[in-house]
Amino acid sequence: MERENSELYLRNCQIIRENERLRKKAQRLNQENQALLSELKRKLAAKNAKRKPGFEVELGSNSVSDQMEANKRQALE
């Protein structure tokens, strides 16, 4: 029983270390994702500044494809 507990303890320690490694990786990926999103917004804003007024792309809760559809409808009006 003591040997089994020791094995479970070691396995638990391995899982905790792996979990911490994955948590740190997830944080790095999230930071990279936020930086890429910020860069995309900046590029879209710069590109839209060159286009007709009132033809804006916003990133947020809407997906890019939803925004593109809204822009198409706006252009047809």
Side-chain angles (χ1 to χ4, degrees), residues 16-47:
I16 290 170
R17 282 193 302 269
E18 179 71 4
N19 187 41
E20 183 66 19
R21 186 187 68 79
L22 291 172
R23 187 186 64 76
K24 287 178 182 178
K25 185 175 182 178
Q27 284 179 328
R28 285 191 306 270
L29 289 172
N30 186 48
Q31 288 173 344
E32 182 181 347
N33 188 39
Q34 292 299 317
L36 290 170
L37 181 59
S38 179
E39 182 181 348
L40 178 61
K41 286 180 180 181
R42 182 184 53 78
K43 286 182 178 181
L44 286 173
K47 190 173 185 178

Side-chain angles (χ1 to χ4, degrees), residues 34 37 41 57-68 70:
Q34 292 299 317
L37 181 59
K41 286 180 180 181
V57 173
E58 293 181 14
L59 293 177
S61 60
N62 293 339
S63 70
V64 173
S65 60
D66 290 344
Q67 189 64 45
M68 288 172 62

